[in-house]
Short mmCIF file of all heavy atoms in Angstrom, two decimals:
data_model
loop_
_atom_site.label_atom_id
_atom_site.label_comp_id
_atom_site.label_asym_id
_atom_site.label_seq_id
_atom_site.Cartn_x
_atom_site.Cartn_y
_atom_site.Cartn_z
N LYS A 341 52.94 36.85 -38.67
CA LYS A 341 52.13 37.99 -39.10
C LYS A 341 51.10 38.36 -38.03
O LYS A 341 50.70 39.52 -37.92
CB LYS A 341 51.41 37.68 -40.42
CG LYS A 341 52.35 37.63 -41.61
CD LYS A 341 51.58 37.43 -42.91
CE LYS A 341 52.51 37.40 -44.11
NZ LYS A 341 51.76 37.19 -45.39
N THR A 342 50.69 37.34 -37.27
CA THR A 342 49.71 37.57 -36.21
C THR A 342 50.36 38.03 -34.90
O THR A 342 49.90 38.95 -34.24
CB THR A 342 48.88 36.29 -35.94
OG1 THR A 342 48.22 35.90 -37.14
CG2 THR A 342 47.86 36.51 -34.84
N TYR A 343 51.47 37.36 -34.57
CA TYR A 343 52.08 37.58 -33.26
C TYR A 343 53.34 38.44 -33.28
O TYR A 343 53.97 38.66 -32.25
CB TYR A 343 52.41 36.23 -32.62
CG TYR A 343 51.17 35.38 -32.44
CD1 TYR A 343 50.97 34.24 -33.21
CD2 TYR A 343 50.19 35.73 -31.51
CE1 TYR A 343 49.83 33.45 -33.07
CE2 TYR A 343 49.05 34.94 -31.35
CZ TYR A 343 48.87 33.82 -32.14
OH TYR A 343 47.74 33.07 -31.99
N GLY A 344 53.70 38.93 -34.47
CA GLY A 344 54.86 39.81 -34.56
C GLY A 344 56.13 39.10 -34.12
O GLY A 344 56.41 37.97 -34.53
N ASN A 345 56.92 39.76 -33.27
CA ASN A 345 58.20 39.19 -32.85
C ASN A 345 58.11 38.49 -31.49
O ASN A 345 59.13 38.29 -30.82
CB ASN A 345 59.26 40.30 -32.78
CG ASN A 345 58.96 41.32 -31.68
OD1 ASN A 345 57.85 41.36 -31.14
ND2 ASN A 345 59.95 42.12 -31.34
N MET A 346 56.91 38.08 -31.08
CA MET A 346 56.74 37.44 -29.77
C MET A 346 57.56 36.14 -29.65
O MET A 346 58.13 35.86 -28.61
CB MET A 346 55.26 37.15 -29.50
CG MET A 346 54.44 38.40 -29.20
SD MET A 346 52.67 38.04 -28.92
CE MET A 346 52.76 37.21 -27.32
N ALA A 347 57.61 35.38 -30.74
CA ALA A 347 58.38 34.12 -30.72
C ALA A 347 59.86 34.40 -30.51
O ALA A 347 60.53 33.74 -29.71
CB ALA A 347 58.17 33.34 -32.01
N GLN A 348 60.40 35.40 -31.23
CA GLN A 348 61.81 35.74 -31.08
C GLN A 348 62.09 36.30 -29.69
O GLN A 348 63.12 35.98 -29.07
CB GLN A 348 62.20 36.79 -32.15
CG GLN A 348 62.24 36.24 -33.56
CD GLN A 348 60.86 36.24 -34.23
OE1 GLN A 348 59.87 36.50 -33.59
NE2 GLN A 348 60.85 35.93 -35.53
N GLU A 349 61.18 37.12 -29.20
CA GLU A 349 61.36 37.71 -27.87
C GLU A 349 61.38 36.64 -26.79
O GLU A 349 62.25 36.65 -25.90
CB GLU A 349 60.22 38.71 -27.59
CG GLU A 349 60.33 39.42 -26.26
CD GLU A 349 59.13 40.32 -25.99
OE1 GLU A 349 58.39 40.63 -26.94
OE2 GLU A 349 58.93 40.70 -24.80
N TYR A 350 60.46 35.69 -26.88
CA TYR A 350 60.39 34.63 -25.87
C TYR A 350 61.60 33.68 -26.02
O TYR A 350 62.20 33.29 -25.02
CB TYR A 350 59.09 33.85 -26.01
CG TYR A 350 58.80 32.95 -24.81
CD1 TYR A 350 58.79 33.48 -23.53
CD2 TYR A 350 58.51 31.61 -24.98
CE1 TYR A 350 58.50 32.68 -22.43
CE2 TYR A 350 58.23 30.80 -23.89
CZ TYR A 350 58.23 31.33 -22.61
OH TYR A 350 57.96 30.54 -21.53
N GLY A 351 61.95 33.36 -27.25
CA GLY A 351 63.09 32.50 -27.49
C GLY A 351 64.38 33.11 -26.95
O GLY A 351 65.20 32.41 -26.36
N GLN A 352 64.55 34.39 -27.17
CA GLN A 352 65.75 35.07 -26.68
C GLN A 352 65.78 35.10 -25.14
O GLN A 352 66.83 34.90 -24.53
CB GLN A 352 65.80 36.51 -27.20
CG GLN A 352 67.06 37.27 -26.79
CD GLN A 352 67.10 38.67 -27.38
OE1 GLN A 352 66.38 38.99 -28.32
NE2 GLN A 352 67.96 39.51 -26.83
N ALA A 353 64.61 35.29 -24.52
CA ALA A 353 64.54 35.30 -23.07
C ALA A 353 64.93 33.94 -22.50
O ALA A 353 65.67 33.85 -21.52
CB ALA A 353 63.14 35.69 -22.62
N LEU A 354 64.43 32.87 -23.13
CA LEU A 354 64.79 31.52 -22.68
C LEU A 354 66.28 31.27 -22.85
O LEU A 354 66.92 30.66 -21.97
CB LEU A 354 63.98 30.48 -23.44
CG LEU A 354 62.45 30.46 -23.21
CD1 LEU A 354 61.82 29.31 -24.01
CD2 LEU A 354 62.11 30.30 -21.74
#
Side-chain angles (χ1 to χ4, degrees):
K341 289 185 179 180
T342 301
Y343 301 109
N345 67 345
M346 288 179 70
Q348 290 84 351
E349 182 184 344
Y350 193 54
Q352 183 177 344
L354 293 182

